[in-house]
Every structure is written in C-alpha cells, then in structure tokens.
Amino acid sequence: MTVTAYLALGSNMGDQAEHLRQAVRKLHGRTGIRVIRTSPVYETDPVGFVDQDAFLNMVIAVETELSPDELLDAALHVEQELGRVRTIRWGPRTIDIDVLLYGDEKLEKEDLTIPHPAMTERAFVLIPLRDVWVGGALPVWGRPVDDFLRLLPQEDKGVQIWGTIDWETGFDHSVS
Ligand SMILES: Nc1ncnc2c1ncn2[C@@H]1O[C@H](COP(=O)(O)OP(=O)(O)OP(=O)(O)O)[C@@H](O)[C@H]1O
Ligand SMILES: Nc1nc2c(c(=O)[nH]1)N=C(CO)CN2
C-alpha cells in the first residue's frame, strides 16, 4: 500500500540550506520513500527557545510504502546521518525532521503521535505545508490549513520566503 505523508524539516545550525538539501536527498534515497513535492524554503524566527539563530524550514510530501514507525525510523536515521546531536529541547539543531501527516491516520503512541501535535500551532510548519498540501480539509481535523493559520495570534509574522533548494541538481536559489 502506498501512502502520502508530509514531513517538516528545520535547521538552524551551520549551512542550513545544505542540511535541508541533504536531508531531502537522503530521504528520497531510502527504500520505500519517494519525495513528490517540496515547498519553498522559509526563514523563520525561532519559536520556543528563542535565544538561538533563525531557522530555515520547509515541508515535503512523500509517497511511501513504509509504516508510520518505519517512516519515523527513516527520519531519525537521516537526522543521525546529518550529525544531529540532541541537546536543548527546542534548541539549535543541524536538522529536525517531524512526521506531520501519514495519509489520514491518527496515531498516539509513546514515541510517535500523528498528526504531529504542535503542527497546527506553528506558522513555520503551516505556511510551507500549505504550499505542498493538495486537497481541502486536513485529515483528522477536517479543516483547511488556512483555518489554523487564521487562529494564530501573529499568523505569518517571522516567516519569510528564503528561496528554493534544488535537491536533485544541488543548486540553491536564495532570493535574499
Ligand atoms: N510525529 C512525530 N514526528 C517526529 N517525532 C515524533 C513524532 N511524534 C513523536 N515523536 C518523537 O519525538 C522525538 C523527537 O523529539 P525532538 O527532540 O525532535 O523534538 P523537538 O523537535 O525538539 O520538538 P517537537 O516535537 O516539538 O518538534 C522522536 O524521537 C520521536 O520519538
Ligand atoms: N522557527 C522555528 N522554531 C522552532 C523550530 C523550527 O523548526 N523552526 N523547531 C523547534 C523544535 O522542534 C523549536 N522552534
């Protein structure tokens, strides 16, 4: 069975665009995962632990034959490969990969919650998700992405387009 899943990527250390590009390439290279759409890259103010550098964030859509657990494992594996060291919660990271949505499934386990519980509160996720999301209402909530964006106190404040990364050829296109 093939399922469409959505992954959020974020980086705020080192060569952030390169980390995003490598992450997309590595995800696409894993058995049972194909990247089908990528959002533009956004430069975003840090949320949570604010005393850190700005992030680059993006969302990708993948087709996968993997189970949700296997998809999470693949994401964690790619994080490891890119040298992510877990230190401060919500703190700086070379790369963070969250599983936002997996088809229309709802899952609540100790190590995996789908949809990602914080996704509807984060403009740095919702704005790039809107770029790659096809269809109207989000599964589980049954409401479109814009509904959640409108509920955010500052909507898209602190989320600016950075450019696009061409993960297949390796050329980045920064607009700034
Ligand atoms: N939907 C999900 N996607 C990714 N990780 C998840 C998900 N649900 C639960 N987890 C768990 O969260 C852990 C990742 O924690 P991590 O340190 O990346 O959190 P964070 O990125 O700092 O915070 P946040 O989850 O709020 O983005 C993973 O090891 C995984 O077991
Ligand atoms: N702008 C931004 N802020 C964050 C991010 C992120 O990806 N982008 N990730 C966090 C931990 O998941 C905490 N804060």
Side-chain angles (χ1 to χ4, degrees):
M1 190 187 57
T2 302
V3 174
T4 303
Y6 291 81
L7 307 178
L9 277 55
S11 171
N12 78 335
M13 281 176 74
D15 188 341
Q16 299 160 271
E18 177 65 11
H19 292 144
L20 292 178
R21 189 157 61 75
Q22 290 293 339
V24 178
R25 286 171 80 96
K26 284 180 184 292
L27 286 164
H28 189 70
R30 293 190 70 88
T31 306
I33 302 180
R34 290 170 304 285
V35 173
I36 54 170
R37 287 187 298 281
T38 57
S39 77
V41 175
Y42 291 85
E43 186 169 34
T44 68
D45 291 346
V47 171
F49 178 67
V50 294
D51 188 14
Q52 56 180 328
D53 292 340
F55 280 75
L56 290 186
N57 285 107
M58 71 186 297
V59 170
I60 66 173
V62 303
E63 267 178 8
T64 186
E65 284 79 41
L66 303 182
S67 68
D69 286 315
E70 290 168 338
L71 185 60
L72 175 68
D73 279 351
L76 296 178
H77 197 270
V78 170
E79 286 185 355
Q80 295 283 321
E81 280 187 314
L82 288 176
R84 165 132 182 223
V85 182
R86 281 166 201 278
T87 45
I88 307 169
R89 188 168 187 222
W90 293 323
R93 63 265 325 267
T94 50
I95 190 76
D96 181 32
I97 306 173
D98 288 338
V99 181
L100 301 176
L101 299 164
Y102 179 92
D104 54 12
E105 281 193 36
K106 186 171 161 57
L107 228 151
E108 272 177 50
K109 300 202 303 182
E110 202 184 331
D111 64 338
L112 181 60
T113 305
I114 295 176
H116 190 283
M119 65 176 264
T120 55
E121 292 146 30
R122 294 173 162 177
F124 67 78
V125 171
L126 292 175
I127 290 172
L129 174 63
R130 184 169 57 180
D131 296 326
V132 289
W133 174 251
V134 283
L138 291 173
V140 180
W141 292 282
R143 296 171 64 180
V145 177
D146 278 337
D147 277 17
F148 296 102
L149 268 172
R150 272 194 292 271
L151 288 174
L152 295 183
Q154 302 177 313
E155 253 181 75
D156 56 359
K157 193 170 165 288
V159 178
Q160 288 163 12
I161 198 96
W162 175 88
T164 58
I165 53 167
D166 190 334
W167 56 278
E168 281 160 314
T169 63
F171 289 110
D172 294 345
H173 306 282
S174 169
V175 293
S176 55

